[in-house]
Amino acid sequence: MKTEQQYKELTVKEFTKAAGMYESEHAGIYEMCREDYPYIAGELEKEPYTDLLDCGCGTGPMISLLYEKDPGKHYTGIDLTPRMIEIARAKELPGTEWVVGDCEALPFADNSFDVIICSNSFHHYPNPQAFFHSVSRVLRPGGRLILQDYTAPKGVLWLMNHTEIPLANLVGHGDVAARLLDEVRDFCEKAGLRVEKLRRAKKFRLHLVARKGE
């Protein structure tokens, strides 16, 4: 069993290697992330917002798409891997901030964001409850968390977490665990976030929308 720090070191090592190809047509397993952008974008369109935080932003593909559509908003991306943020900064998107940091301890003031998005990053977090508490703290009252990651029925998830993910760790990936819907609901409730949408979608996807109280 790895420590939290060991998982994070694996993640940084993995994505330092992946950063240069992350948004290319040869991104391998990371290409599947693109399939999830429409879900995030669709949820964002349902309510107005000004300040958005992308947790586990990588090289910033989601923020780039949002910026192209509406450059007037304030976008912030945070990622644990310095090389990812270095590439994101090179895009030079005015009014956009890129931060090297830990999503389990977000380095922002209380009540800073209208909405937080997190796509395909959550399964890298060794202390998921800390992430949800941190999200709740930096969201403004009434703000939303829109999260997409992986899940599966209980038996399949057990196999994923006890066979597939340990094998991925052996080849240098920083995956920690995929989570059951009930686990995610519990994380939200303990952090003071009200679940508005939580479902298992196609291709083992987990879709969550949770809101901070007014």
Side-chain angles (χ1 to χ4, degrees):
M1 185 71 175
K2 292 178 173 58
T3 66
E4 293 184 11
Q5 186 59 35
Q6 286 172 326
Y7 277 121
K8 291 178 183 184
E9 289 171 357
L10 273 176
T11 293
V12 171
K13 186 176 181 180
E14 172 189 352
F15 287 103
T16 298
K17 292 179 180 178
M21 65 173 185
Y22 195 72
E23 293 187 61
S24 75
E25 297 301 317
H26 307 286
I29 61 171
Y30 308 113
E31 290 183 37
M32 69 177 68
C33 297
R34 298 172 193 164
E35 299 176 9
D36 302 308
Y37 299 159
Y39 161 69
I40 300 287
E43 291 294 339
L44 287 172
E45 289 173 359
K46 293 179 180 180
E47 293 182 19
Y49 64 92
T50 300
D51 298 295
L52 175 145
L53 173 64
D54 185 353
C55 285
C57 66
T59 56
M62 190 71 217
I63 284 180
S64 298
L65 291 172
L66 296 171
Y67 181 89
E68 183 177 353
K69 185 174 182 180
D70 187 350
K73 290 181 168 56
H74 177 222
Y75 302 103
T76 302
I78 183 170
D79 200 278
L80 193 62
T81 304
R83 180 58 180 153
M84 287 287 203
I85 293 299
E86 182 182 347
I87 292 174
R89 285 176 180 154
K91 296 179 177 182
E92 297 184 344
L93 303 179
T96 299
E97 297 181 47
W98 305 101
V99 178
V100 177
D102 190 336
C103 293
E104 294 181 355
L106 294 168
F108 308 107
D110 295 1
N111 306 322
S112 293
F113 300 98
D114 302 308
V115 62
I116 295 175
I117 63 174
C118 182
S119 181
N120 291 300
S121 173
F122 178 59
H123 62 282
H124 286 275
Y125 302 166
N127 188 345
Q129 189 64 68
F131 165 71
F132 279 98
H133 278 301
S134 201
V135 163
S136 182
R137 181 183 63 78
V138 304
L139 272 177
R140 292 182 179 131
R144 294 179 298 158
L145 168 66
I146 302 169
L147 182 145
Q148 184 283 321
D149 208 83
Y150 301 104
T151 192
K154 191 172 184 179
V156 176
L157 195 71
W158 188 94
L159 288 173
M160 290 172 63
N161 287 336
H162 289 82
T163 58
E164 182 180 336
I165 286 180
L167 288 172
N169 293 158
L170 288 175
V171 298
H173 288 213
D175 306 59
V176 178
R179 306 292 176 177
L180 293 167
L181 297 185
D182 286 346
E183 289 182 285
V184 172
R185 185 180 302 278
D186 190 53
F187 293 143
C188 288
E189 290 176 354
K190 287 179 178 177
L193 298 171
R194 184 178 75 253
V195 173
E196 294 188 345
K197 175 189 289 186
L198 179 59
R199 66 186 180 93
R200 191 168 64 240
K202 295 179 180 178
K203 298 183 179 180
F204 300 109
R205 297 299 199 265
L206 179 156
H207 289 174
L208 168 72
V209 178
R211 191 180 302 272
K212 182 175 177 176
E214 297 285 351

